[in-house]
Amino acid sequence: MFTDRSYLLLNNLPRLYYGVAVIDVDGDGDFEWVIAGFGFPNRAYKWNGAAFNDVATPELADVERQAIGVAGCDLDGDGDEEIYILNTDTFAGRKRFADRLFDRADGIWTDLFAMQASQHVLNLTAGRSVIALDRDGDGLYGFFVSNYGGPMRLYELDEDGRLRDSASSAGLDFITGGRSAVALPLVTPRLDIFAGNEGGPNFLFLNRDDGTYEDVAGFSGLSDPYENARGVAILDANDDGLFDIVCGNWEGPHRLFIQMVDGTFRDSAPRELAVPSRIRTVIAADFDNDGYEEIFFNNIGQPNRLFARRDGEWKPITIGDALEPGGLGTGAAVGDLDGDGRLELLIAHGESGMQPISLYHTPVNHNHWLRIMPLTRAGAPARGALVTLHAGGREQRRVIDSGSGYLCQMEPVAHFGLGALTEVESVEVRWPDGMFITLRELDADQMLRVEYPR
């Protein structure tokens, strides 16, 4: 499936890296790979038409911290995404150095946590993942932080533009071995949160439609209390119109939680997919544009794995150069940053040894595609929006990624493979507040930015 194109990453020295996110760091409308450096500079790889070069400013590179998680969202409603860099200098509990929350103005990145007015809300607990969350659908996002050994956090701006931690008032300030999180209209029409944990049950926070949450994981069948969650991916695994959850468990059986019509979940992972591994990131994406998503497992110190749905069953398929049997994978993300209509896969390495970053492409084929990017009222990526495509008698569903399970965040674009189809009957975009728009009779092989309905 994958061919190594790591030579396109300029100045790619062996270092310790962790999470990866796809964010527009310079405001030009194109996306960059943002990679968390653990004791090394953070990177921001930009496509220049021939290769990827690092455009991280000294502020964003931030050589003073040990970064592991990264995510972006529009916190202040100015149309540009802020960047949350989760720093961890200890395994669990209290840490020495706070996280970074970078806001760009006039090309300069400023850390909002460094301001005097923010000192009382610093996150000084070892975190693992951070995601974007528009809990009430107003187009203004917060950053939800999954902490390990301390309360979870939800950073938003108050009416005066100052940072506040809203986790307690939202019912999210649980203390556990937090590892991963995703937010999407999973069971309710608003943004629910699935949080994967270590050393205790997972959480499923249902949105009560008033900005607060209730954990129903025990009732839903997602608690899985005796396993240790890592990467999480969302997809409609059986084409029934409901989102399902792939949860990678560290050295335990991996899960494919299929959603029932009553909002509960049942583990239906086939034997080969469930085989335990040293899992990190899990990604669901249509890498070959055949109209069906694949599931990628990124492992550390073990070969990576790739699964595809064949004859109604999930089976392992040839992964190509991305097998990485000696790879120390810590984070991975997908995006079409070179604009050719095919997703690239970027894998970061580190923790137990320094390795360079890997970049993989899929072979050129004749399959068609369509890419949809919903925007907020302010023109920022509408993370958490639901995009549904109808073509060739099938329905495909994607959620604009808010954060992908463990340390990472994918591109804020709904990427659809179409196989041999050259036309799409309709695409519905539904925002977190319930507003929607339907686009009809679309040609394939294009990228569409969809504005919020006026």
Side-chain angles (χ1 to χ4, degrees):
M1 173 72 78
F2 294 106
T3 302
D4 190 358
R5 293 290 186 269
S6 302
Y7 63 84
L8 294 175
L9 300 170
L10 303 181
N11 191 30
N12 183 20
L13 301 175
R15 290 175 175 173
L16 299 180
Y17 294 109
Y18 273 87
V20 182
V22 183
I23 303 170
D24 179 4
V25 302
D26 54 10
D28 67 350
D30 296 324
F31 294 111
E32 288 75 49
W33 304 106
V34 180
I35 303 136
F38 189 79
F40 291 91
N42 302 321
R43 313 298 294 271
Y45 270 119
K46 183 179 187 64
W47 178 247
N48 63 16
F52 289 93
N53 62 292
D54 184 13
V55 297
T57 64
E59 298 84 11
L60 194 59
D62 195 20
V63 297
E64 300 176 359
R65 300 289 169 90
Q66 296 170 312
I68 62 168
V70 56
C73 70
D74 187 5
L75 189 73
D76 54 11
D78 65 354
D80 293 322
E81 291 195 305
E82 283 67 50
I83 300 178
Y84 195 110
I85 304 289
L86 199 157
N87 297 296
T88 297
D89 51 57
T90 185
F91 176 78
R94 188 171 178 82
K95 61 187 180 184
R96 293 181 298 157
F97 298 109
D99 301 334
R100 301 288 199 190
L101 208 176
F102 288 112
D103 179 34
R104 190 184 74 247
D106 299 324
I108 303 297
W109 290 99
T110 301
D111 178 18
L112 300 183
F113 280 134
M115 296 182 175
Q116 186 61 38
S118 303
Q119 296 304 295
H120 68 292
V121 293
L122 295 180
N123 183 35
L124 292 173
T125 300
R128 289 299 183 272
S129 292
V130 54
I131 63 172
L133 181 64
D134 181 2
R135 60 183 171 122
D136 51 12
D138 63 358
L140 297 176
Y141 289 82
F143 284 104
F144 174 78
V145 182
S146 180
N147 277 331
Y148 197 111
M152 295 181 174
R153 302 278 193 166
L154 176 58
Y155 289 108
E156 300 173 329
L157 295 182
D158 64 18
E159 294 79 4
D160 298 318
R162 294 174 299 191
L163 277 175
R164 66 184 178 193
D165 178 11
S166 303
S168 178
S169 60
L172 296 171
D173 58 337
F174 285 45
I175 298 176
T176 186
R179 282 289 184 177
S180 54
V182 291
L184 73 155
L186 180 64
V187 177
T188 77
R190 299 285 191 176
L191 296 191
D192 304 321
I193 303 170
F194 173 76
N197 300 316
E198 180 174 271
N202 301 324
F203 300 141
L204 175 59
F205 295 113
L206 291 192
N207 194 314
R208 290 172 165 167
D209 202 23
D210 61 0
T212 66
Y213 287 86
E214 176 185 7
D215 176 32
V216 299
F219 167 78
S220 71
L222 292 174
S223 61
D224 209 11
Y226 303 111
E227 299 301 332
N228 301 302
R230 290 297 192 276
V232 177
I234 303 295
L235 78 164
D236 182 356
N238 55 357
D239 283 338
D240 65 352
L242 300 173
F243 281 119
D244 311 305
I245 301 174
V246 185
C247 183
N249 285 320
W250 178 259
E251 297 186 329
H254 306 314
R255 309 298 191 187
L256 176 55
F257 290 116
I258 299 297
Q259 185 172 178
M260 306 290 108
V261 294
D262 62 356
T264 61
F265 292 79
R266 180 181 304 160
D267 179 27
S268 301
R271 179 181 59 84
E272 291 176 297
L273 188 147
V275 172
S277 67
R278 298 169 63 85
I279 191 74
R280 287 308 181 102
T281 307
V282 179
I283 295 174
D286 188 353
F287 291 106
D288 57 7
N289 285 342
D290 67 348
Y292 297 88
E293 291 174 282
E294 290 80 44
I295 299 174
F296 171 73
F297 283 179
N298 177 217
N299 296 311
I300 181 169
Q302 294 179 346
N304 298 325
R305 299 156 66 188
L306 187 67
F307 296 87
R309 195 163 173 236
R310 301 285 188 260
D311 301 322
E313 297 182 5
W314 287 95
K315 299 178 180 179
I317 62 173
T318 302
I319 194 172
D321 291 344
L323 181 67
E324 292 194 346
L328 303 174
T330 49
V334 294
D336 179 19
L337 275 66
D338 61 8
D340 65 356
R342 290 177 291 125
L343 294 173
E344 299 103 54
L345 170 66
L346 185 139
I347 303 177
H349 309 92
E351 186 170 299
S352 54
M354 293 191 293
Q355 291 182 339
I357 302 163
S358 298
L359 178 69
Y360 298 100
H361 281 197
T362 53
V364 175
N365 58 43
H366 298 292
N367 291 335
H368 298 280
W369 49 273
L370 184 68
R371 290 167 56 78
I372 305 293
M373 180 179 169
L375 303 175
T376 65
R377 298 176 182 90
R383 296 190 183 270
L386 171 63
V387 184
T388 306
L389 176 144
H390 295 272
R394 287 185 62 231
E395 175 183 288
Q396 296 190 54
R397 310 173 83 225
R398 305 281 189 273
V399 171
I400 304 303
D401 191 55
S402 64
S404 291
Y406 187 55
L407 307 179
C408 300
Q409 187 184 56
M410 307 299 127
E411 63 171 354
V413 178
H415 179 94
F416 297 96
L418 299 174
L421 299 176
T422 59
E423 295 182 351
V424 171
E425 298 159 19
S426 67
V427 170
E428 181 187 273
V429 179
R430 185 173 294 271
W431 280 262
D433 64 353
M435 290 291 289
F436 69 94
I437 189 172
T438 302
L439 310 174
R440 301 189 185 279
E441 299 180 358
L442 302 174
D443 292 331
D445 303 331
Q446 62 174 321
M447 163 83 165
L448 295 176
R449 297 173 186 263
V450 183
E451 295 184 356
Y452 183 85
R454 301 296 178 183

